[in-house]
Amino acid sequence: MSSDSRPIVAVTGGGGFFGTHLARDLLNRGYRVRAVDNMFRPVRHAIDELLERDGFELVEGDVRYRDALARSLDGADFLVHLAALSINKSVVDQAESLEVNLLGSQRTFETAIDVGVQRIIFASSASVYGEPTKLPMHEDDPLHPATPYCLSKLAAEHLLGFYGRERGTPWIALRYFNVYGPDQKVQAYYTSVVLTFIRRLLAGEAPVIQGSGDQAMDFVHVKDLARATADALVSKETDQVINIGSGVSTSIAELAALLIEIVGADVQVVFEPRDTYVSRRQADISRAKQLLGWSPEISLREGLIDLVQYVRSTG
């Protein structure tokens, strides 16, 4: 048996974009991190870096398989459940999306409680709101999920609440808004537009906006998101659903203009027609401030400047 007394945080999806950022934050706070990932979209260089650090381990596993989950989660003190398929994937393949995002979540929650985790943090999504009735969007607002991804996130929130009541395990579901930052993949709906715009601008090409450009998102930096998630592990308040966003609504046209300015490009935005799932988002983050003592620290301008420099340096 290990003599290391540091608590273990198991992170499903821990080898991906957000998972590797979260792992760094948790290691810096003195936790051990066990990343559980099926390695479908790993951030390999980040994983390699983390494997050099004391307290990090990578376990290859899939949330759909209970036996693998039991082995992966055994001995963990806390669980952060990130693993999921994207919105785009859920529209193309509803069956696999529901299997991973809903049934996988159910198996993950149940298995984690069976092996004795002390608290569960679930990565939900602002997409559960669908088209909002008002801005900013509050946790108690009506919910209108529009895709299998959104439906599965909302259903998983309710499942987690059920297990919390039935088994007594504390939990928090964090409704993440539009995360962006270094190492993000381009498959994410809306948020990948940040990286796509940057790559086009650095190549001397104009940003292409699908739709009118009036659609507005709440962009929150991945480091702020990681900090909120780690804060949730020690919050005195539990059994809560909490928005995690910047609290600022930014249109896609405004985003493109800001990036053109940052890059210093001499181009004009190109607009292409396209239907959109959601036209506007802005998080009410008062509950996060009150219950977690959290608020975002990285402005969109600051985060984009750093991301442009990162993309330039990494090619």
Side-chain angles (χ1 to χ4, degrees):
M1 179 178 292
S2 172
S3 60
D4 193 334
S5 61
R6 292 175 296 172
I8 299 172
V9 183
V11 182
T12 66
F17 160 58
F18 179 50
T20 50
H21 281 277
L22 176 61
R24 291 189 194 99
D25 189 293
L26 293 171
L27 290 170
N28 291 341
R29 293 178 186 230
Y31 293 100
R32 288 180 285 168
V33 177
R34 184 182 299 157
V36 182
D37 203 290
N38 66 2
M39 305 304 284
F40 175 59
R41 287 193 313 203
V43 182
R44 175 49 65 184
H45 79 91
I47 293 172
D48 291 342
E49 169 205 315
L50 287 164
L51 287 170
E52 295 296 319
R53 296 189 58 174
D54 177 48
F56 180 83
E57 61 177 315
L58 176 67
V59 178
E60 190 165 351
D62 193 301
V63 297
R64 289 174 287 188
Y65 307 117
R66 197 183 303 273
D67 289 345
L69 275 170
R71 291 191 297 271
S72 300
L73 301 181
D74 185 41
D77 299 284
F78 304 102
L79 167 70
V80 179
H81 179 44
L82 305 178
L85 295 180
S86 68
I87 288 182
N88 287 354
K89 178 68 173 177
S90 81
V91 174
V92 174
D93 190 340
Q94 295 95 336
E96 184 178 12
S97 176
L98 291 171
E99 184 181 10
V100 173
N101 296 356
L102 181 53
L103 294 179
S105 292
Q106 183 273 324
R107 289 167 185 154
T108 301
F109 298 153
E110 185 176 55
T111 304
I113 293 170
D114 285 345
V115 302
V117 301
Q118 300 170 25
R119 179 177 297 206
I120 297 173
I121 308 300
F122 171 55
S124 188
S125 169
S127 66
V128 300
Y129 293 104
E131 186 64 23
T133 56
K134 64 178 180 63
L135 295 180
M137 300 150 70
H138 188 273
E139 291 87 350
D140 297 331
D141 287 350
L143 305 176
H144 304 288
T147 69
Y149 172 88
C150 313
L151 290 162
S152 64
K153 286 292 187 180
L154 180 56
E157 285 184 12
H158 288 294
L159 275 172
L160 186 53
F162 166 77
Y163 281 117
R165 293 189 299 272
E166 292 294 310
R167 305 287 294 274
T169 301
W171 60 273
I172 292 178
L174 300 176
R175 289 178 180 164
Y176 298 144
F177 278 67
N178 302 100
V179 60
Y180 73 98
D183 298 326
Q184 187 169 31
K185 305 295 184 182
V186 296
Q187 291 89 346
Y189 194 68
Y190 280 132
T191 50
S192 66
V193 73
V194 175
L195 182 59
T196 301
F197 282 1
I198 291 173
R199 286 180 172 174
R200 289 187 65 86
L201 287 167
L202 293 179
E205 300 172 350
V208 178
I209 293 180
Q210 296 176 332
S212 66
D214 294 332
Q215 60 269 36
M217 299 295 108
D218 184 320
F219 293 101
V220 57
H221 196 276
V222 65
K223 290 182 179 179
D224 277 333
L225 215 67
R227 188 166 49 83
T229 306
D231 288 347
L233 287 173
V234 295
S235 169
K236 293 180 180 179
E237 299 288 341
T238 60
D239 305 354
Q240 297 280 347
V241 175
I242 303 175
N243 287 338
I244 303 297
S246 70
V248 178
S249 185
T250 302
S251 75
I252 303 302
E254 290 171 335
L255 173 70
L258 181 55
L259 283 170
I260 288 171
E261 176 194 336
I262 290 169
V263 173
D266 183 17
V267 295
Q268 296 293 323
V269 176
V270 175
F271 293 88
E272 293 181 350
R274 175 177 172 171
D275 293 333
T276 57
Y277 292 126
V278 178
S279 67
R280 57 198 181 126
R281 282 185 184 156
Q282 180 184 0
D284 181 330
I285 56 175
S286 57
R287 185 177 291 181
K289 292 178 179 178
Q290 178 185 358
L291 301 186
L292 302 182
W294 175 90
S295 59
E297 295 180 348
I298 302 173
S299 70
L300 182 58
R301 174 179 288 274
E302 178 186 359
L304 292 178
I305 290 172
D306 288 345
L307 183 55
V308 167
Q309 291 174 345
Y310 179 82
V311 175
R312 277 180 167 148
S313 67
T314 58

